[in-house]
């Protein structure tokens, strides 16, 4: 059945009729953007989710009458593409095999080597995959306006970036000086998230460690820590006996750290110099004096110390570290714990954390966290006694540095390599260009705007405000890579995050600025601002009009790893450069995609390409999976079991739409009328949920609930085919956002004019008759459930049911009692109402409900239904919405 949908045919029809090409009009606009894809390889399902969600929203807005612009460009800046070409030129086997596989997904075997050879030139890599990504996106049915596409290495785009940086420089936001950056040791170049393997999903940041100097006879040991306040609880120092250590000269002090740390530290302190390597025995034989008080400690070997992390030397605080405590015990080293921190008036007990948590890492991290947020320093401790751990940390660090007994050692938050395989460290670069995001006024204006933006889910607003609070200087240029030269210092190339902050603005003008056009700052001042010399530039008037019509971005769809870089830069640069009416309006954060519970990555071999998805399952199947498998903010698990379930539902849709085609007459019956009313309610709910971007809930409503209603309609004796024939137009419109090819196919077969993607989805509202139909049926469903319960309890197979309804006196008395008026005609009703008040329903016309649905109930339950009002002398008293049910039948013997 799935093969009957010719998805490519409908993609060609959309192109032929140009329905997704958007230009300025008198309609209300809606501009939606996504992260532009990087053209270093094929995209996989993890990338596809964000773009697919954006397309759902774009198509829905178009149905609601908006003039929608959903553009797409390509990001080619930075070092990743250069790194790929470099590896191919060098004949790296792993890279060659990987790119042979990538090429084979698109080309015949005889072309693979020729194309691979061409990849020695970076631009050929970018050109190949940009072309394939366009085809993949078209194959997935994305409603993208491809007339607005451009690349970050296009000359006209680079002119805009130059304009942007000259503006930032004029405003005082661009600075030059010494700056800590992530750095490739092999490539001798600063790197960003886009340059680092998995850097977009597994962030690498710079962490600041306090390297405490312990004085020995001939040299100092530099032991690093994030917890300098625990210095009073030190019992010993650890080094790794299997590692090499070096002696360096640092401002006249002879300091020891691991050989690896020495190499890294020289990138942070260019005045430091290596003296020589040390034999570990020289370190282990001495005793070392702690700063701040006269006490000496010994050094012990510990092969769990990582020489590649900070200084490769660690001080031991077993009274406040589960790992130190365990290692000392396992090594048979008898040292008394020193405890200096209290939590809730109790001294920290490492033993308790060890007992509570089976995992050593979890025990250690929980202890650290509890002490940091809730810990108080023992009052007998000098300088910091009685203070919180959080206060004490900065106090001790500052004192140690001022006394020359500590220095800052910068480290990466995790071990990382570039996409070229080079190790990433932290380096302090001189004459580094950076954007000063720490500017207080800039931050205040950003925080004000973030508070006014729409975030989906809303809790990400708080996350973004936190980022605004801590963001500081950000390196914005590199010595190499593709992209835009820094206009004030052309030896530098603007890095790939900093050149992609305002690119959505270029979408609005791209079709109206030809490639060979001469551009300068005056051009972009005219198009993007009101600060120009007043002369109309006829050549760029259309570009200006389009920008002013479309901008700012109404909805940006992205993922949470982008918040601390792409998104904050995007927001702050717009605030710096544009009039407030052009600032971003909304941001939606999509959850990540995993596969069978595991993170998707190329190295794990579970990265299913979008091309493979389309070939194996079809575009609409994938789109439906994205829509209904999880809500926007949750992780989406791509797995065969769930795919099979979604396929089943998709085939149900195909089957009912196919079988309903031959139905020529609608016909009317109570069950058909009920289905129509319920469908109308689903459409009301669908619109409400889509407006809130609750896409999963909207499509559970319009797919699963409608299919359930059709199944119930069949059980009631109605005709699902007749019902679908009547609702087909509206149903196909709603379905077209998620399964557009299928919707177009049946739209044509059902004889509707034009394309469903170009139709309009109206406003839906239930009238009083439809509301009554639904409420009365829900009441009757409750009665049926009660009958089944009675059958189960009494072990009677019902043949006949008498339903006794509340009369007008009971209803009047009940209404009085609910309002605390106990002046009623039947006193016995008071206790009954108090007991059942939460289950009473006053608004239902029960007699009318049973008159309408008694026949349906009889069919569904295979028993005779009689109903009447309460009579004086009846043994049981019915209440409104809670009738008395008298079941007649035979015992079934299941006692």
């Amino acid at each position: 059945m799935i093969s009957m949908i010719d998805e490519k045919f409908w993609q060609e029809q959309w192109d032929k009729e140009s329905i997704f090409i958007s230009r300025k009009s008198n309609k209300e606009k809606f501009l939606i953007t996504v992260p532009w894809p990087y053209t270093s390889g094929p995209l996989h399902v993890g990338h596809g989710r964000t773009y697919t969600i954006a397309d759902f929203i774009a198509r829905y807005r178009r149905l609601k009458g908006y003039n929608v612009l959903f553009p797409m460009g390509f990001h080619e800046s930075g070092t990743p593409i250069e790194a790929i070409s470099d590896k191919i030129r060098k004949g790296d086997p792993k890279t060659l095999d990987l790119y042979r596989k990538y090429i084979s997904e698109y080309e015949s075997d005889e072309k693979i080597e020729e194309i691979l050879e061409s990849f020695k030139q970076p631009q050929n890599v970018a050109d190949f995959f940009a072309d394939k990504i366009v085809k993949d996106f078209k194959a997935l049915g994305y409603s993208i306006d491809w007339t607005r596409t451009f690349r970050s290495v296009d000359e006209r785009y680079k002119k805009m970036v130059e304009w942007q940086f000259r503006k930032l420089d004029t405003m005082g936001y661009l600075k030059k000086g010494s700056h800590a950056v992530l750095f490739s040791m092999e490539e001798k170049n600063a790197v960003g998230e886009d340059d680092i393997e998995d850097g977009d999903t597994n962030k690498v940041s710079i962490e600041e460690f306090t390297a405490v100097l312990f004085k020995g006879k001939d040299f100092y040991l530099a032991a690093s820590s994030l917890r300098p306040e625990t210095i009073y609880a030190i019992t010993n120092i650890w080094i790794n006996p299997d590692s090499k250590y070096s002696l360096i000269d640092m401002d006249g002090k002879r300091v020891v750290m691991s050989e690896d740390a020495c190499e890294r530290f020289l990138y942070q302190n260019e005045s430091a110099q290596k003296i020589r390597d040390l034999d570990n025995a020289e370190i282990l034989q001495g005793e070392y004096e702690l700063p701040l008080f006269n006490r000496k400690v010994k050094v012990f070997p510990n092969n769990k110390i990582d020489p590649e992390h900070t200084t490769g030397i660690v001080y031991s605080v077993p009274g406040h570290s589960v790992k130190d405590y365990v290692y000392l015990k396992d090594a048979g080293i008898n040292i008394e714990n020193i405890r200096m921190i209290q939590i809730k008036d109790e001294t920290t007990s490492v033993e308790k954390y060890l007992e509570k948590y089976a995992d050593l890492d979890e025990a250690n991290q929980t202890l650290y966290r509890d002490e940091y947020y809730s810990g108080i320093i023992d009052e007998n401790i000098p300088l910091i006694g009685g203070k919180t751990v959080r206060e004490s940390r900065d106090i001790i660090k500052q004192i140690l540095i001022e006394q020359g007994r500590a220095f800052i050692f910068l480290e990466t938050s995790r071990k990382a390599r570039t996409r070229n395989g080079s190790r990433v460290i932290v380096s302090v670069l001189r004459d580094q260009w950076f954007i000063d995001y720490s500017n207080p006024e800039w931050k205040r204006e950003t925080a004000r705007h973030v508070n006014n933006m729409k975030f989906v889910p809303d809790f990400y607003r708080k996350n973004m405000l936190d980022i605004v609070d801590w963001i500081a200087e950000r390196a914005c240029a590199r010595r190499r890579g593709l992209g835009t030269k820094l206009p004030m210092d052309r030896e530098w190339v603007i890095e790939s995050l900093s050149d992609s902050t305002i690119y959505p603005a270029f979408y609005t003008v791209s079709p109206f600025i030809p490639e060979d056009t001469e551009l300068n700052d005056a051009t972009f001042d005219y198009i993007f601002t009101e600060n120009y010399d007043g002369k109309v530039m006829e050549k760029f008037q259309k570009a200006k009009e389009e920008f002013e019509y479309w901008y700012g971005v109404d909805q940006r769809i992205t993922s949470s790893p982008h918040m601390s870089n792409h998104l904050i830069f995007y927001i702050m640069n717009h605030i710096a450069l544009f009039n407030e009416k052009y600032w971003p309006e909304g941001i939606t954060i999509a959850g990540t995609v995993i596969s069978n519970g595991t993170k998707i990555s190329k190295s794990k071999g579970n990265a299913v390409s979008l091309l493979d998805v389309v070939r194996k399952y079809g575009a609409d199947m994938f789109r439906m999976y994205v829509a209904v498998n999880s809500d926007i903010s949750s992780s989406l698990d791509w797995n065969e079991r769930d795919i099979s379930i979604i396929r089943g539902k998709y085939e149900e849709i195909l089957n009912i739409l196919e079988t309903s085609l031959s139905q020529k007459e609608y016909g009317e019956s109570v069950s058909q009328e009920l289905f129509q009313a319920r469908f109308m309610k689903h459409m009301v709910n669908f619109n409400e949920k889509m407006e809130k971007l609750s896409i999963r809930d909207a499509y559970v409503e319009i797919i699963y609930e409608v299919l359930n209603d059709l199944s119930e309609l069949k059980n009631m004796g109605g005709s699902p085919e007749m019902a679908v024939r009547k609702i087909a137009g509206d149903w196909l419109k709603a379905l077209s956002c998620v399964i557009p090819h299928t919707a177009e196919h049946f739209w044509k077969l059902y004889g509707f004019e034009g394309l469903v993607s170009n139709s309009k989805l109206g406003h839906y509202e239930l009238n009083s008759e439809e509301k009554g139909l639904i409420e009365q049926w829900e009441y009757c469903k409750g009665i049926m459930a009660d009958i089944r319960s009675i059958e189960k309890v009494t072990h009677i197979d019902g043949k006949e049911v008498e339903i006794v309804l509340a009369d007008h006196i009971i209803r009047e008395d009940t209404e009085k009692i609910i309002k605390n008026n106990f002046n009623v005609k039947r006193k016995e009703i008071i206790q009954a109402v108090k007991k059942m008040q939460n289950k009473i329903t006053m608004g239902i016309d029960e007699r009318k409900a049973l008159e309408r649905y008694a026949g349906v109930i009889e069919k569904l339950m295979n028993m005779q239904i009689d109903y009447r009002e309460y009579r004086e002398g009846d043994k049981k008293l019915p209440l409104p919405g809670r009738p008395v049910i008298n079941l007649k039948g035979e015992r079934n013997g299941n006692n």
Side-chain angles (χ1 to χ4, degrees):
M1 200 61 143
I2 293 175
S3 61
M4 64 180 278
I5 308 298
D6 186 349
E7 293 180 337
K8 189 173 182 180
F9 171 80
W10 293 109
Q11 293 152 16
E12 291 170 350
Q13 290 300 112
W14 296 329
D15 282 348
K16 183 179 178 181
E17 300 203 20
S18 302
I19 65 171
F20 303 136
I21 295 177
S22 305
R23 297 294 183 264
K24 176 187 173 186
S25 74
N26 57 5
K27 291 199 295 185
E28 187 174 354
K29 65 92 178 180
F30 187 82
L31 172 57
I32 184 168
T33 65
V34 291
W36 46 356
Y38 208 86
T39 54
S40 58
L43 301 183
H44 58 66
V45 292
H47 304 110
R49 185 190 190 193
T50 300
Y51 303 126
T52 305
I53 289 170
D55 192 59
F56 296 160
I57 298 168
R59 284 179 173 274
Y60 175 74
R61 288 294 171 202
R62 194 173 284 109
L63 287 174
K64 297 302 290 182
Y66 286 84
N67 187 17
V68 175
L69 175 55
F70 179 19
M72 188 72 68
F74 296 103
H75 198 196
E76 298 173 5
S77 307
T79 59
I81 295 175
E82 277 192 342
I84 291 161
S85 293
D86 187 49
K87 284 183 177 182
I88 291 172
R89 282 193 300 271
K90 292 176 179 177
D92 178 65
K94 186 176 178 181
T95 304
L96 291 172
D97 288 345
L98 181 63
Y99 276 81
R100 283 191 184 99
K101 178 180 177 295
Y102 287 166
I103 297 167
S104 70
E105 293 185 23
Y106 298 99
E107 302 290 347
S108 60
D109 290 348
E110 57 267 22
K111 290 186 177 181
I112 292 174
E113 295 305 319
E114 177 187 347
I115 295 170
L116 189 64
E117 178 69 19
S118 76
F119 282 4
K120 291 178 178 179
Q121 297 300 318
Q123 196 57 52
N124 291 334
V125 177
D127 290 347
F128 180 85
F129 287 109
D131 177 66
K132 302 311 177 189
I133 289 170
V134 171
K135 291 177 180 176
D136 287 351
F137 282 3
K138 286 186 175 183
L140 281 161
Y142 295 161
S143 54
I144 292 169
D145 180 353
W146 290 108
T147 67
R148 295 179 181 266
T149 195
F150 61 90
R151 303 182 186 187
S152 64
V153 295
D154 288 353
E155 288 303 317
R156 58 196 181 129
Y157 178 74
K158 291 197 283 188
K159 289 294 184 183
M160 186 190 78
V161 176
E162 288 182 9
W163 166 81
Q164 171 190 357
F165 271 76
R166 276 191 282 265
K167 285 284 186 187
L168 293 174
D169 189 33
T170 302
M171 295 172 181
Y173 295 145
L174 204 60
K175 301 286 179 70
K176 188 179 185 181
S178 295
H179 191 67
V181 297
L182 297 172
F183 188 82
S184 165
M185 296 177 72
E186 182 182 315
E187 298 163 16
K188 306 298 182 189
N189 192 37
V191 295
E193 285 91 335
D194 287 346
D195 306 307
I196 296 170
E197 189 69 39
D198 295 329
D200 54 342
T201 57
N202 188 6
K203 294 297 177 191
V204 182
S205 57
I206 297 173
E207 292 185 340
E208 187 177 284
F209 284 77
T210 303
V212 180
L213 293 174
F214 295 82
K215 188 176 181 180
K217 181 181 178 182
D218 299 314
F219 45 74
Y220 291 88
L221 296 185
S224 57
S225 176
L226 289 170
R227 307 197 301 159
E229 75 284 357
T230 60
I231 191 169
Y232 294 98
I234 294 173
T235 61
N236 61 282
I237 299 171
W238 301 117
I239 66 167
N240 191 320
D242 302 321
S243 301
K244 294 179 180 180
Y245 287 83
S246 298
L247 185 67
I248 68 169
D249 180 283
M250 193 177 77
D251 300 325
K253 286 189 176 74
R254 291 156 60 87
V255 178
V256 175
M257 58 183 67
S258 73
E259 184 180 50
D260 186 88
C262 172
E263 183 182 8
R264 288 178 286 119
F265 185 65
L266 296 180
Y267 282 95
Q268 299 178 25
N269 187 331
E270 59 183 27
S271 66
Q273 291 184 326
K274 181 176 177 178
I275 301 172
R276 64 181 174 88
D277 292 330
L278 281 177
D279 189 293
N280 288 357
E282 293 182 66
I283 303 172
L284 291 166
Q285 67 189 7
E287 287 191 326
Y288 299 86
E289 183 185 280
L290 277 67
L292 303 184
F293 57 104
N294 294 322
R295 183 158 64 83
K296 291 186 176 182
V297 295
K298 292 182 178 181
V299 180
F300 295 116
N302 182 341
N303 57 17
K304 295 186 185 300
I305 301 303
D306 184 358
E308 296 183 357
H309 185 258
T310 60
T311 59
I313 302 174
V314 178
Y315 64 69
S316 173
V317 284
H320 298 284
S321 166
V322 177
K323 287 187 173 181
D324 287 336
Y325 175 84
V326 169
Y327 199 85
L328 281 168
K329 284 190 71 175
D330 290 348
I333 301 171
N334 188 19
I335 295 181
E336 185 179 350
N337 292 348
I338 302 172
R339 306 176 196 258
M340 55 169 287
I341 299 172
Q342 295 179 337
I343 299 174
K344 297 179 180 177
D345 299 325
E346 288 187 12
T347 302
T348 298
S349 170
V350 173
E351 295 87 345
K352 286 184 179 179
Y353 284 85
L354 196 56
E355 291 171 6
K356 185 175 181 180
Y357 298 97
D359 182 77
L360 204 60
D361 286 325
E362 185 181 5
N364 216 45
Q365 289 303 318
T366 306
L367 171 59
Y368 287 180
R369 184 173 61 247
D370 290 349
E371 287 189 337
Y372 180 72
Y373 289 107
S374 306
I376 302 294
I377 305 296
D378 187 288
E379 290 188 357
N380 296 316
I381 300 297
L383 302 174
I384 53 175
K387 297 184 183 297
T388 66
V389 168
R390 298 173 80 169
E391 292 176 294
S392 304
R393 185 160 297 179
D394 288 335
I395 292 171
I396 294 298
K397 180 172 75 171
Q398 192 63 36
I399 291 172
L400 290 173
I401 291 173
E402 287 174 357
Q403 293 185 2
R405 294 299 296 271
F407 61 94
I408 299 302
F409 194 104
L410 301 174
E411 184 59 278
T412 56
S413 57
R414 68 171 175 87
K415 291 187 176 181
R417 292 191 173 273
T418 67
R419 297 179 191 274
N420 204 20
S422 172
R423 184 180 179 187
V424 175
I425 63 167
V426 180
S427 177
V428 176
L429 298 185
R430 288 181 177 274
D431 298 325
Q432 169 68 46
W433 288 94
F434 57 91
I435 299 174
D436 185 11
Y437 289 111
S438 67
N439 181 282
E441 183 55 37
W442 198 4
K443 283 192 171 196
R444 276 193 294 273
E445 195 69 359
T446 302
R448 179 181 71 82
H449 184 62
V450 167
N451 274 315
N452 293 329
M453 292 176 70
K454 180 180 179 181
F455 282 83
V456 179
D458 189 66
F459 64 77
Y460 279 111
R461 182 191 317 279
K462 172 66 167 58
N463 293 24
M464 185 57 75
L465 288 170
D466 289 342
I467 293 167
V468 173
D469 186 53
W470 60 250
I471 192 169
E473 297 90 353
R474 170 71 192 215
C476 63
R478 308 283 185 251
R479 289 291 188 181
R480 59 183 289 263
L482 303 177
T484 306
K485 297 283 188 182
L486 190 65
M488 56 283 306
D489 189 345
R490 302 192 77 83
E491 291 184 3
W492 294 82
V493 180
I494 297 169
E495 61 92 28
S496 59
L497 288 172
S498 298
D499 84 342
S500 57
T501 58
I502 62 167
Y503 69 90
F506 204 76
Y507 286 136
T508 66
V509 303
S510 178
F512 314 103
I513 300 179
E515 289 286 352
D516 57 352
T517 306
E518 186 176 333
L519 302 169
N520 54 38
D521 286 0
T523 308
F524 294 107
D525 280 341
Y526 178 73
I527 295 172
F528 292 143
T529 77
E530 296 169 1
N531 301 319
Y532 59 95
D533 60 12
K535 295 179 182 178
V536 174
M537 295 184 179
E538 294 290 346
K539 192 173 185 179
F540 302 108
Q541 182 60 24
K542 180 63 176 172
K544 183 177 180 65
E545 290 173 359
E546 288 278 325
F547 169 76
E548 291 177 347
Y549 171 75
W550 287 110
Y551 228 53
V553 177
D554 296 281
Q555 194 66 234
R556 180 169 178 80
I557 317 294
T558 187
S559 56
S560 57
H562 291 158
M563 288 194 66
S564 61
N565 43 67
H566 280 289
L567 281 183
I568 186 62
F569 303 156
Y570 161 73
I571 294 170
M572 293 188 76
N573 276 270
H574 275 80
I575 287 170
L577 297 165
F578 296 108
N579 185 290
E580 186 168 354
K581 62 186 174 181
Y582 302 129
W583 294 355
E585 291 288 326
I587 289 174
T588 295
I589 305 295
T592 55
V593 180
I594 57 179
S595 180
N596 295 296
T598 304
K599 177 187 170 185
I600 291 178
S601 72
K602 293 168 184 173
S603 60
K604 292 180 180 177
N606 63 350
V608 182
S609 73
L610 293 178
L611 179 65
D612 281 345
V613 166
V614 173
R615 285 173 175 168
K616 188 171 182 180
Y617 305 106
D620 283 359
M621 256 287 299
F622 172 72
R623 293 171 64 100
M624 185 168 157
Y625 189 95
V626 171
V628 303
N629 202 256
S630 69
D631 59 47
I632 285 180
S633 61
S634 300
S635 292
L636 175 72
D637 193 346
W638 177 256
N639 65 82
E640 287 293 337
R641 181 182 61 81
D642 287 347
I643 293 168
S644 177
I645 293 170
I646 300 298
R647 182 193 295 274
K649 285 297 174 186
Y650 177 59
E651 290 178 347
E652 275 190 63
I653 296 170
L654 294 180
N655 286 330
I656 190 61
L657 286 168
E658 181 73 28
T659 56
S660 300
L661 278 168
S662 58
Q663 187 70 45
K664 300 300 181 186
E665 297 180 0
Y666 294 141
E668 296 294 342
S669 68
V670 65
S671 57
Q672 301 288 135
E673 290 174 355
L674 172 63
F675 176 83
Q676 299 295 331
R678 292 169 87 178
F679 179 76
M680 181 61 67
K681 184 177 180 180
H682 292 317
M683 291 300 294
V684 171
N685 293 341
F686 170 78
N687 269 340
E688 289 176 354
K689 289 168 181 175
M690 286 298 289
E691 290 295 333
K692 296 175 183 176
L693 300 188
S694 298
I695 294 172
R696 179 181 184 274
D697 292 344
Y699 278 91
V700 166
E701 181 95 30
I702 213 63
I703 293 175
Y704 286 73
E705 295 296 331
V706 171
L707 290 175
N708 288 343
D709 288 352
L710 287 168
S711 178
E712 188 170 83
L713 173 63
K714 186 175 182 179
N715 293 335
M716 294 166 71
S719 167
E721 293 77 18
M722 191 182 294
V724 168
R725 185 76 203 190
K726 193 164 187 177
I727 63 148
D730 287 332
W731 200 27
L732 289 170
K733 288 177 186 179
L735 291 173
S736 71
C737 302
V738 164
I739 49 173
H741 309 90
T742 305
E744 293 288 9
H745 175 86
F746 284 104
W747 184 263
K748 181 181 180 182
L749 291 180
Y750 275 84
F752 298 115
E753 291 186 7
L755 296 166
V756 66
S757 299
N758 218 16
S759 63
K760 295 293 175 282
L761 188 68
H763 174 74
Y764 297 88
E765 194 172 329
L766 286 170
N767 60 39
S768 58
E769 179 66 18
E770 290 165 333
K771 289 178 183 177
L773 279 164
I774 295 167
E775 289 171 356
Q776 289 163 16
W777 175 241
E778 292 302 314
Y779 166 79
C780 290
K781 284 175 72 174
I783 288 177
M784 288 191 289
D786 288 344
I787 293 171
R788 293 299 184 205
S789 295
I790 294 169
E791 284 186 313
K792 185 176 181 180
V793 171
T794 61
H795 305 290
I796 292 175
D797 290 331
K799 301 296 181 185
E800 186 178 340
V801 175
E802 182 187 52
I803 302 171
V804 181
L805 308 174
D807 62 12
H808 71 281
I809 296 175
I810 294 174
R811 300 183 73 84
E812 289 170 4
D813 284 351
T814 301
E815 194 166 359
K816 287 180 180 180
I817 295 166
I818 290 172
K819 295 177 180 178
N820 291 321
N821 178 356
F822 300 105
N823 183 21
V824 296
K825 295 178 180 178
R826 293 192 177 105
K827 298 297 181 183
E828 67 272 20
I829 199 175
I830 296 175
Q831 288 304 317
V833 170
K834 287 183 177 180
K835 185 178 179 181
M836 301 291 292
Q837 188 165 340
N838 292 335
K839 297 182 179 181
I840 290 172
T841 307
M842 295 298 299
I844 298 291
D845 187 335
E846 297 174 74
R847 176 173 285 277
K848 188 173 182 180
L850 289 168
E851 286 174 356
R852 175 170 275 154
Y853 292 116
V856 175
I857 298 172
E858 287 180 334
K859 178 177 179 59
L860 292 175
M861 303 204 71
N862 193 29
M863 60 179 69
Q864 182 180 328
I865 304 295
D866 296 314
Y867 55 91
R868 63 174 177 82
E869 287 190 347
Y870 174 80
R871 299 176 190 146
E872 292 294 342
D874 283 348
K875 292 180 180 179
K876 294 182 180 179
L877 190 71
L879 295 172
R882 300 297 300 172
V884 171
I885 297 172
N886 297 317
L887 183 65
K888 299 176 183 179
E890 298 176 357
R891 287 191 174 275
N892 55 33
N894 294 325
N895 294 321

